[in-house]
């Protein structure tokens, strides 16, 4: 008992939740944009540094918080991308303020909600209580709904309502699944909070009723799958990406989808711990392949640059879901690596796209041409980022996709063919769109924007280095987590 209390006392997990919560209150009160932008960056940086301490902190499983090898991967990635996005946001939002698209009051709301979102996502990842995790994901959803409608235009309000309605359906399904898990645990662990605590549930999973556990997982996969953006539950995602502020698009693609995926993986582990339940893998692979193929076709028809990369996010979340559904040490390793590379690459794409839309004054692909000539830094940065997300070597995305395809051919060859077909479809669409965006005669709109290229550059450098060399400690860490995922 004393040892567990000491471990909790020296664990950084409570600080990872407290820092953004305190920052949110302060940011709601500060009227100055420069001060609030600096505080937003500083709070995110401090949260990320605190998250790094989890790597050496003791593993805990208390009644409220859990720190294990699985959620550390997500927390570190979550806080890093949140930090770099806050740096990008500072220059992006400054331009929105100068052009009158946002008011100082809107910015106070934006910065406060940014920290609330970060706190909610971290709570979902660190909670040892499945009910608290559900509440945290719901808070994160409602926060992003408010931020998607920040511009207060008709299209933005419509996108926010669509996100709210579909997200509410998803979270209601997830709630019903959560209640079923509590019902299946109650006869074994008794009434009270033990029936909601992950560490307790995992230890007693073999004693649960397998039939009811199967039904619970179906509802949970559909519910949280809505938040992941898996087909056919993806309809909210393109609208939310296209109408909200671009930093929120980066957070949605790079972080929020991962948090919902984490919830699915937690319940997948619970189901896998019982030998009498159905295998969760085929359901995840089916939804993953459906998402990949749907997005591959839909990419050809996009006319809005942010919608284009929203469908790219659906494609890659489908790949990740397929990888974890396939299972095994190689596929799980590929899923973890692809999740990391997608978060870094897609957020870098939105960093570039945000400033491109500002300099061109539009999101229409037909009006964005010749970026490498008119804005070389943004244009070539976008070229490298899109080439990386399309899976061209030597980017880390190529390595993760290669591992996934080889594992699929080794274990499920009849599924590897549609997997490769979906990848080729998406690759062709992205290369087709990129050729028009980046090359040729520049389209009108040559305004200069004080863009911060550092976040995009850092992300792309990490993705390219990962494609050439992965540090042995990182490989060992991912292998260990891949083994835990079964």
């Amino acid at each position: 008992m004393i040892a567990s209390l000491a471990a909790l006392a020296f664990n950084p997990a409570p600080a990872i939740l407290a820092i953004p919560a305190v920052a949110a209150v302060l940011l709601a009160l500060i009227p100055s944009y420069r001060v609030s932008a600096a505080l937003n960056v500083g709070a995110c940086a401090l949260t990320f540094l605190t998250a790094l301490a989890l790597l050496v902190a003791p593993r805990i499983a208390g009644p409220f918080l859990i720190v294990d090898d699985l959620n550390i991967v997500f927390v570190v990635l979550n806080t890093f991308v949140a930090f770099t996005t806050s740096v990008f946001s500072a220059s992006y939002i400054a331009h929105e303020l100068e052009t009158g698209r946002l008011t100082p009051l809107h910015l106070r709301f934006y910065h406060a909600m940014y920290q609330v979102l970060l706190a909610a996502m971290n709570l979902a990842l660190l909670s040892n209580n499945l009910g608290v995790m559900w509440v945290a994901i719901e808070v994160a959803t409602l926060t992003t709904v408010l931020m998607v409608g920040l511009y207060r235009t008709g299209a933005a309000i419509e996108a926010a309502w669509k996100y709210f309605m579909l997200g509410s359906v998803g979270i209601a399904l997830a709630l019903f699944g959560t209640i079923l898990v509590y019902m299946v645990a109650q006869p074994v662990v008794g009434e009270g909070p033990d029936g909601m605590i992950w560490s307790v549930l995992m230890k007693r999973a073999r004693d649960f009723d397998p039939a009811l556990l199967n039904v619970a997982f179906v509802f949970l996969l559909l519910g949280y799958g809505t938040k992941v953006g898996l087909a056919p539950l993806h309809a909210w995602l393109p609208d939310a990406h296209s109408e909200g502020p671009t930093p929120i698009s980066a957070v949605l693609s790079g972080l929020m989808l991962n948090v919902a995926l984490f919830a699915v993986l937690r319940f997948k582990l619970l189901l896998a711990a019982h030998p009498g339940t159905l295998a969760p893998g085929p359901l995840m692979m089916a939804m993953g392949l459906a998402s990949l193929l749907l997005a591959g076709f839909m990419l050809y028809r996009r006319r809005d640059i942010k919608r284009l990369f929203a469908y790219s996010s659906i494609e890659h979340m489908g790949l990740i879901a397929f990888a974890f559904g396939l299972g095994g040490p190689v596929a799980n390793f590929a899923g973890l690596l692809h999740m990391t590379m997608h978060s870094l690459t897609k957020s870098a794409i939105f960093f570039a796209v945000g400033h491109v839309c500002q300099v061109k004054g539009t999101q229409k692909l037909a009006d964005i041409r010749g970026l490498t000539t008119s804005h070389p830094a943004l244009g070539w940065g976008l070229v490298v980022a899109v080439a990386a997300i399309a899976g061209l070597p030597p980017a880390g995305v190529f390595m993760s996709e290669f591992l996934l395809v080889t594992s699929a051919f080794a274990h499920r060859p009849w599924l590897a063919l549609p997997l490769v077909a979906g990848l080729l479809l998406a690759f062709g669409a992205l290369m087709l769109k990129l050729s028009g965006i980046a090359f040729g005669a520049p389209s009108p709109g040559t305004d200069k924007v004080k863009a911060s290229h550092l976040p995009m550059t850092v992300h792309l450098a990490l993705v390219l280095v990962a494609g050439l060399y992965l540090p042995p400690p990182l490989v060992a860490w991912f292998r260990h987590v891949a083994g835990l995922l079964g």
Side-chain angles (χ1 to χ4, degrees), residues 88 91-96 98-99 354-361 375 378 446-453:
F88 157 72
S91 60
Y92 177 88
I93 295 296
H95 182 271
E96 302 294 271
E98 291 173 2
T99 57
H355 289 308
V356 166
C357 293
Q358 288 180 336
V359 299
K360 295 295 183 181
H375 300 82
L378 287 175
T446 58
D447 294 341
K448 301 298 180 183
V449 174
K450 296 178 181 178
S452 174
H453 301 305

Side-chain angles (χ1 to χ4, degrees), residues 251-272:
V251 169
L252 279 171
S253 277
L255 302 181
M256 187 65 185
L257 305 185
N258 290 347
V259 173
L261 177 67
F262 172 82
V264 174
L265 292 179
R266 280 288 197 202
F267 286 106
K268 176 180 180 288
L269 288 174
L270 182 64
L271 207 68

Side-chain angles (χ1 to χ4, degrees), residues 287-366:
M287 294 186 73
L289 274 181
S291 304
L292 171 63
L293 293 171
L294 171 74
F297 284 109
M298 294 296 286
L299 284 170
Y300 287 91
R301 301 289 296 171
R302 297 311 95 200
R303 301 291 182 264
D304 181 291
I305 191 169
K306 292 176 71 175
R307 283 180 179 269
L308 175 72
F309 293 114
Y311 274 100
S312 174
S313 293
I314 295 171
E315 172 213 349
H316 285 279
M317 295 311 296
L319 279 174
I320 297 167
F322 181 89
F324 288 128
L326 181 61
V330 177
N332 285 333
F333 185 95
L336 289 168
L337 182 61
H338 198 82
M339 179 190 71
T340 305
M341 295 299 103
H342 173 255
S343 294
L344 295 174
T345 311
K346 188 55 62 63
S347 51
I349 287 175
F350 278 112
F351 295 161
V353 166
H355 289 308
V356 166
C357 293
Q358 288 180 336
V359 299
K360 295 295 183 181
T362 181
Q363 294 179 194
K364 294 182 179 179
L365 285 168

Side-chain angles (χ1 to χ4, degrees), residues 71-445:
N71 65 4
I72 289 176
V73 176
F74 285 81
V75 173
V76 172
L77 179 63
N78 192 73
T79 53
F80 174 72
V81 176
F83 165 56
T84 54
T85 304
S86 70
V87 176
F88 157 72
S89 175
S91 60
Y92 177 88
I93 295 296
H95 182 271
E96 302 294 271
L97 181 62
E98 291 173 2
T99 57
R101 293 195 71 193
L102 294 176
T103 67
L105 183 60
H106 287 152
L107 295 185
R108 289 170 64 181
F109 176 81
Y110 167 83
H111 284 127
M113 289 296 101
Y114 191 92
Q115 293 296 323
V116 170
L117 175 60
L118 181 57
M121 291 190 295
N122 289 340
L123 177 59
L125 297 173
L126 291 169
S127 174
N128 197 23
N129 185 295
L130 58 91
V132 173
M133 183 188 71
W134 179 89
V135 171
I137 293 178
E138 175 69 349
V139 170
T141 301
L142 294 175
T143 303
T144 47
V145 165
L146 295 174
M147 297 176 82
V148 165
L150 188 65
Y151 288 124
R152 301 295 189 269
T153 63
I157 297 299
E158 180 184 353
W161 272 106
K162 187 175 183 178
Y163 182 20
F164 174 73
M165 296 301 294
L166 293 177
S168 296
V169 172
I171 208 70
L173 293 173
L175 176 61
F176 186 65
T178 302
I179 293 172
L180 289 179
V181 171
Y182 177 76
M183 289 176 61
V184 79
Q186 187 178 359
V188 177
V189 303
E191 295 184 357
D194 281 356
M196 303 284 281
I197 296 177
W198 286 113
S199 52
V200 174
L201 295 175
M202 289 299 298
K203 290 177 181 178
R204 305 297 302 275
R206 286 178 170 270
D207 301 324
F208 296 161
D209 177 13
L212 194 55
L213 201 56
N214 290 339
V215 176
F217 182 76
V218 171
F219 279 98
L220 290 162
L221 179 60
L222 291 173
Y224 287 120
T226 304
K227 307 293 184 182
V228 179
L230 297 177
L233 310 166
H234 66 284
W236 63 271
L237 198 149
D239 288 331
H241 279 63
S242 64
E243 299 301 333
T246 305
I248 302 309
S249 300
V251 169
L252 279 171
S253 277
L255 302 181
M256 187 65 185
L257 305 185
N258 290 347
V259 173
L261 177 67
F262 172 82
V264 174
L265 292 179
R266 280 288 197 202
F267 286 106
K268 176 180 180 288
L269 288 174
L270 182 64
L271 207 68
H274 195 304
T277 58
L278 59 82
L283 293 174
M284 295 181 66
M285 287 190 288
M287 294 186 73
L289 274 181
S291 304
L292 171 63
L293 293 171
L294 171 74
F297 284 109
M298 294 296 286
L299 284 170
Y300 287 91
R301 301 289 296 171
R302 297 311 95 200
R303 301 291 182 264
D304 181 291
I305 191 169
K306 292 176 71 175
R307 283 180 179 269
L308 175 72
F309 293 114
Y311 274 100
S312 174
S313 293
I314 295 171
E315 172 213 349
H316 285 279
M317 295 311 296
L319 279 174
I320 297 167
F322 181 89
F324 288 128
L326 181 61
V330 177
N332 285 333
F333 185 95
L336 289 168
L337 182 61
H338 198 82
M339 179 190 71
T340 305
M341 295 299 103
H342 173 255
S343 294
L344 295 174
T345 311
K346 188 55 62 63
S347 51
I349 287 175
F350 278 112
F351 295 161
V353 166
H355 289 308
V356 166
C357 293
Q358 288 180 336
V359 299
K360 295 295 183 181
T362 181
Q363 294 179 194
K364 294 182 179 179
L365 285 168
D367 298 329
I368 303 174
R369 290 288 184 270
L371 282 176
T372 54
T373 300
S374 61
H375 300 82
L378 287 175
W380 285 110
L382 187 59
V383 168
V384 173
V386 174
I389 205 66
L392 285 176
V397 176
F398 168 78
M399 180 185 292
S400 59
E401 289 182 352
F402 178 79
L403 290 173
L404 176 56
V405 169
T406 54
S407 182
F409 270 110
H411 298 95
R412 297 286 193 276
W414 60 91
L415 294 179
L417 294 178
L419 176 68
V420 173
L423 288 172
L424 292 176
L425 271 174
F427 176 83
L430 289 175
M431 291 298 102
L432 179 65
K433 300 294 184 181
L434 179 63
S435 62
I437 295 171
F439 306 109
S443 57

